[in-house]
Amino acid sequence: MNELILNLKEFNFLPKEKISFDVSWQLDNIPKKIEVRLFWYTKGKGTEDSCVAETCIVDHLSDRGNKSVYFTLPESPYSFSGKLISLNWAIEFVVKSPDKCIRKEIVISPIKIPIKLY
Amino acid sequence: MRIIGKIFLTLFLLVFFSMGATFCVFLGKTIYKRAVCYSWQKSDCLIESVSVIENAEKHGDTPYKIDLKYSYNHNGIQHQSDKVMIDSRNQYSYSDAVMISSKYKVGNIYNCFVDPHYPDRAILEKQSIWHIFFMLIPLIFLAIGAGGIYGVWFIGEKTEEKRVISDSAVSSKNAGNGVFVIFLIIGISIMIFGFIRPIVGIIDAKLNWQAVECDILSSDIKTNSSSDGTTYAIDILYSYVFNGQEYVSNKYDFMGGSSSGYSSKRKVIEQYPQNSKRICFVNPRNPRIAVLNRGISLLIFILGVFGFVFAVVGFGGIRHFNKDNSIKTSYDPVRNQRKSALRGFNQKNFISRKGPVILTSKLTPMKNFIGILIFTLIWNGIMFFISFVDSGNIFKALISFPIVIFATIGFLLFVPVVYCFLALFNPRAKIEINSTDFILGDKICLKWKFDGNTSNISRLDIFLEAIESATYRRGTDTYTSTEIFYKKSLIETINSFEIKAGSCEILIPENTMHTFVSSNNKVLWFIKLKGQVKNWPDINQEYQVNVGPRKF
């Protein structure tokens, strides 16, 4: 059984805030890659864009383990929601072979909620 | 994806698939036919007769065929054949037919190649199969079509939870890349074979070929009727003497071929009546090759333009997709952390400046006018050319546009041309602001001053505006939608003194979105100036400003 856990307690942050959380995994075999990515992506009418801001790579691959992850959130772009597009930040815990992924959405903005454009 | 969307996408991909499959089949059959001959057995053959005769059916500028008969012995049985090559329709221009047939003398023995399974079949020459490499092009079409259809119906769509969204940011291959590679290959091929090679040949002819007097033996127009319509080709047969030897040719110019447009070809024929003497131009390195007209035909330029457009589209598309794919953050190998990549604002296209700055606009009235004028001239030029080629007469062309709707659009395009031309005479405002690089919560201090006569400006508006912009694709078309989410007036006035020059300030709100630019989605801030002019095009000036995030 393949299981990933991303232990994030808070989901709303200010730009440049330092965050830390734990991840743990239990897999049927030793994977090829284990990474935790902080990234933003767009949703809405326009074709999806995305960009990874930070990545934490697990060096010593094993079929089970845990790791503390530390990210410094960037200054921008803010999470926002408009009539046409919205921008969301998220943290993805990604394992390759076996392919598994768990994602938690977060908000980065000066008011700790997505900026509304309407 | 909904079932209707899947069906439409499948139909679209079927076009790619069927184009690729059709070309693969045709090209594959030709290559197979030729390749099989390489396994045929060599035998001696005796040439019994050889001559060049005119085809009973007229075939444009290749109305001659080689009448060649030879005999050979295979396993003790005598056979006869008349085939020179396996894959040939036996249609040539006169000089090509003479060139091939002159290799074989009656009574001489040559090698021929016999099909071991059907000894009645034999050829004198094997043909090359190097153009097997051209199979790559239809195979790409085939792969895109088949792969796309398979993906649409058989690859399960991942739900949002299962999809690894960040994978597309880490590395992404875009199928569009493949399509644009095809455009680039086709464009370069057309430019090389349809433009550059003929041009090089023509330049060589102009510099090195020798002018020789020739006798016009016959002068006519060949008609070629097919389901697509009737086309005509110039067919002038002439003889000339070069270095004491007599030659015959029927090449009029370098392009040859047949096309619609009878009257233009009739004019050419009238210049070369039968039994007259004219000048032809002979290739001194191969005197069998000669032409009557060594000028550049319009077709060569058209092919050059087509090839160029295809190549530019292909190159631009490849650059665009690879630019997207190359957005990667840099690695810091220490502590397994990447350097934070502040993406979302493309600094490359925006020069931020502090201190009083005179704003400049990317789009000026002159650029608008030139742009719409060029487009109008190209559109109407193409329509006129199509009509002129068809009718062969400039006056008929003006009144006989074959494609009425496109011609009407071309005519209507002159309206914005006139509008943009009149706008050139409007006064322009110089706008000075305290910076082009703001952050949320900053104050914009702005001064304006009009050059020229402002007495006709009835109202002036200057405002700060912010928009969301979303670009998306439907099929092969790209669309961009915009939505204004912030608009605040800096000045609205009808006072002529205030219109002429003035200053104002505005505070950028704090809790809104800063400038954001990614490939398909944007948030942009503008300062816009609009001047209403009585009975004349309005003044519209627009300047993009950078509004960055608040400092933390």
Side-chain angles (χ1 to χ4, degrees):
Chain A
M1 195 186 80
N2 298 313
E3 197 185 347
L4 304 180
I5 296 172
L6 199 166
N7 208 350
L8 192 64
K9 293 196 172 56
E10 268 188 69
F11 298 93
N12 298 69
F13 304 100
L14 293 170
K16 287 188 146 182
E17 200 170 324
K18 288 183 181 11
I19 64 171
S20 64
F21 53 92
D22 295 324
V23 297
S24 58
W25 62 98
Q26 201 170 314
L27 307 166
D28 293 339
N29 50 268
I30 298 173
K32 286 201 176 134
K33 196 195 275 191
I34 303 177
E35 286 184 0
V36 183
R37 298 169 184 162
L38 170 69
F39 70 102
W40 60 258
Y41 66 100
T42 60
K43 267 165 96 162
K45 201 163 187 181
T47 304
E48 184 182 274
D49 292 321
S50 58
C51 180
V52 176
E54 287 220 35
T55 303
C56 177
I57 300 171
V58 175
D59 283 331
H60 303 291
L61 298 167
S62 57
D63 59 347
R64 61 190 63 210
N66 56 65
K67 186 175 173 64
S68 295
V69 179
Y70 304 90
F71 284 143
T72 302
L73 304 179
E75 193 178 48
S76 68
Y78 297 162
S79 302
F80 73 88
S81 170
K83 283 185 181 170
L84 295 181
I85 48 178
S86 61
L87 186 146
N88 305 320
W89 280 93
I91 294 171
E92 258 180 0
F93 181 22
V94 178
V95 166
K96 298 287 183 193
S97 305
D99 289 353
K100 281 285 285 182
C101 161
I102 183 171
R103 184 188 326 123
K104 293 269 167 85
E105 300 226 338
I106 63 172
V107 171
I108 303 178
S109 97
I111 53 175
K112 287 196 172 185
I113 56 171
I115 308 284
K116 276 197 169 45
L117 301 186
Y118 51 85
Chain B
M1 196 191 300
R2 284 200 218 151
I3 198 80
I4 294 192
K6 285 188 178 186
I7 291 170
F8 274 115
L9 197 53
T10 304
L11 289 171
F12 173 74
L13 290 165
L14 267 174
V15 170
F16 274 89
F17 182 82
S18 45
M19 277 168 64
T22 308
F23 279 109
C24 273
V25 164
F26 278 122
L27 208 53
K29 270 168 77 168
T30 304
I31 292 166
Y32 176 76
K33 245 193 333 188
R34 294 185 183 194
V36 155
C37 294
Y38 281 82
S39 66
W40 288 10
Q41 292 166 2
K42 205 189 281 188
S43 184
D44 288 336
C45 68
L46 174 72
I47 305 295
E48 292 177 351
S49 66
V50 60
S51 63
V52 174
I53 58 174
E54 200 164 341
N55 255 321
E57 306 137 16
K58 299 173 197 250
H59 292 282
D61 64 345
T62 55
Y64 297 93
K65 67 177 191 179
I66 300 168
D67 186 23
L68 189 152
K69 286 189 179 35
Y70 56 94
S71 58
Y72 56 95
N73 192 299
H74 185 78
N75 290 344
I77 301 171
Q78 198 73 357
H79 298 274
Q80 262 196 336
S81 178
D82 59 0
K83 255 191 149 19
V84 178
M85 291 178 257
I86 190 71
D87 185 33
S88 167
R89 291 179 299 168
N90 204 2
Q91 293 166 27
Y92 304 97
S93 65
Y94 190 85
S95 49
D96 287 344
V98 166
M99 195 153 50
I100 296 169
S101 60
S102 64
K103 287 193 271 187
Y104 303 101
K105 303 274 181 259
V106 175
N108 283 9
I109 293 181
Y110 298 89
N111 283 330
C112 62
F113 303 93
V114 183
D115 185 346
H117 304 293
Y118 300 98
D120 275 339
R121 294 202 318 165
I123 54 171
L124 285 171
E125 294 176 18
K126 286 186 274 197
Q127 289 164 286
S128 67
I129 55 170
W130 63 267
H131 55 277
I132 191 172
F133 297 107
F134 282 111
M135 284 276 278
L136 280 173
I137 298 172
L139 279 173
I140 290 170
F141 276 83
L142 205 67
I144 290 172
I149 293 171
Y150 179 82
V152 164
W153 293 101
F154 298 106
I155 293 178
E157 281 176 13
K158 288 190 174 160
T159 59
E160 198 64 14
E161 287 95 37
K162 290 185 187 168
R163 193 166 69 101
V164 183
I165 301 174
S166 58
D167 270 353
S168 60
V170 172
S171 71
S172 63
K173 298 259 176 235
N174 203 305
N177 225 350
V179 171
F180 288 107
V181 167
I182 294 169
F183 268 86
L184 184 64
I185 292 171
I186 292 172
I188 291 174
S189 306
I190 293 174
M191 279 177 67
I192 289 173
F193 294 107
F195 181 71
I196 295 170
R197 239 178 73 165
I199 290 284
V200 167
I202 288 166
I203 292 170
D204 175 56
K206 290 225 183 253
L207 293 174
N208 302 316
W209 288 24
Q210 292 179 22
V212 170
E213 194 180 69
C214 63
D215 295 312
I216 305 298
L217 304 175
S218 67
S219 178
D220 199 3
I221 294 177
K222 296 280 182 199
T223 307
N224 202 1
S225 295
S226 69
S227 55
D228 295 329
T230 305
T231 55
Y232 309 96
I234 293 168
D235 183 32
I236 302 173
L237 193 67
Y238 53 96
S239 67
Y240 56 95
V241 175
F242 189 83
N243 286 346
Q245 190 160 346
E246 189 174 3
Y247 300 92
V248 178
S249 175
N250 73 332
K251 255 179 119 59
Y252 171 68
D253 60 14
F254 289 102
M255 285 307 286
S258 61
S259 61
S260 62
Y262 180 85
S263 46
S264 55
K265 293 173 185 71
R266 171 52 55 190
K267 276 202 184 108
V268 170
I269 297 300
E270 285 164 6
Q271 289 169 20
Y272 296 90
Q274 191 174 357
N275 299 324
S276 63
K277 287 193 188 305
R278 292 288 181 267
I279 298 294
C280 65
F281 302 93
V282 182
N283 184 350
R285 294 182 295 271
N286 186 353
R288 289 189 197 284
I289 300 174
V291 294
L292 289 170
N293 176 12
R294 53 182 182 175
I296 300 171
S297 77
L298 201 53
L299 181 62
I300 294 175
F301 281 113
I302 291 171
L303 286 173
V305 168
F306 265 117
F308 181 72
V309 167
F310 265 77
V312 162
V313 166
F315 180 73
I318 290 168
R319 241 192 120 212
H320 170 76
F321 282 108
N322 284 324
K323 199 171 67 173
D324 285 349
N325 293 345
S326 70
I327 294 175
K328 290 188 191 307
T329 55
S330 57
Y331 275 85
D332 182 354
V334 178
R335 295 182 60 81
N336 295 327
Q337 278 191 331
R338 286 184 185 175
K339 284 186 195 151
S340 178
L342 183 64
R343 286 287 170 173
F345 182 70
N346 189 348
Q347 288 283 7
K348 229 171 38 169
N349 296 330
F350 188 88
I351 302 162
S352 84
R353 289 165 284 183
K354 290 274 181 211
V357 174
I358 306 282
L359 290 180
T360 51
S361 179
K362 270 197 288 189
L363 278 177
T364 62
M366 181 57 80
K367 283 182 187 169
N368 282 344
F369 171 66
I370 290 172
I372 188 78
L373 181 67
I374 289 172
F375 180 78
T376 303
L377 288 175
I378 290 174
W379 183 282
N380 285 292
I382 291 171
M383 291 298 110
F384 184 79
F385 171 73
I386 290 170
S387 174
F388 178 65
V389 165
D390 187 63
S391 65
N393 180 301
I394 190 165
F395 297 108
K396 266 191 193 171
L398 286 170
I399 61 169
S400 65
F401 278 122
I403 309 168
V404 174
I405 295 172
F406 286 102
T408 307
I409 292 171
F411 189 71
L412 290 172
L413 277 172
F414 281 104
V415 172
V417 169
V418 170
Y419 186 92
C420 289
F421 178 71
L422 293 176
L424 288 175
F425 299 99
N426 275 337
R428 274 189 73 76
K430 241 184 232 153
I431 297 186
E432 183 189 289
I433 57 174
N434 49 328
S435 173
T436 56
D437 195 10
F438 300 98
I439 61 172
L440 294 167
D442 265 357
K443 191 194 291 184
I444 298 178
C445 301
L446 185 148
K447 290 182 192 167
W448 74 90
K449 187 179 175 205
F450 272 95
D451 295 328
N453 182 12
T454 56
S455 57
N456 284 338
I457 303 176
S458 57
R459 184 192 166 95
L460 176 70
D461 290 283
I462 302 177
F463 48 94
L464 178 68
E465 189 178 271
I467 62 162
E468 318 168 56
S469 166
T471 302
Y472 53 96
R473 277 160 213 101
R474 285 222 180 103
T476 53
D477 295 326
T478 301
Y479 301 90
T480 298
S481 296
T482 58
E483 187 77 33
I484 299 171
F485 69 86
Y486 179 85
K487 186 169 178 174
K488 189 82 183 280
S489 175
L490 281 90
I491 184 96
E492 283 175 14
T493 182
I494 57 173
N495 182 297
S496 54
F497 290 107
E498 282 181 358
I499 288 172
K500 178 84 183 166
S503 64
C504 56
E505 292 177 352
I506 189 168
L507 211 58
I508 303 171
E510 272 190 349
N511 294 330
T512 187
M513 185 59 191
H514 54 80
T515 300
F516 166 77
V517 174
S518 63
S519 306
N520 300 289
N521 301 278
K522 298 177 175 56
V523 172
L524 301 170
W525 287 80
F526 296 92
I527 289 174
K528 291 187 176 179
L529 180 147
K530 190 178 166 80
Q532 286 181 15
V533 182
K534 288 175 254 188
N535 304 319
W536 202 257
D538 288 341
I539 299 167
N540 282 301
Q541 292 172 213
E542 182 181 290
Y543 307 92
Q544 194 177 325
V545 291
N546 175 28
V547 177
R550 283 159 53 187
K551 296 296 173 199
F552 277 84

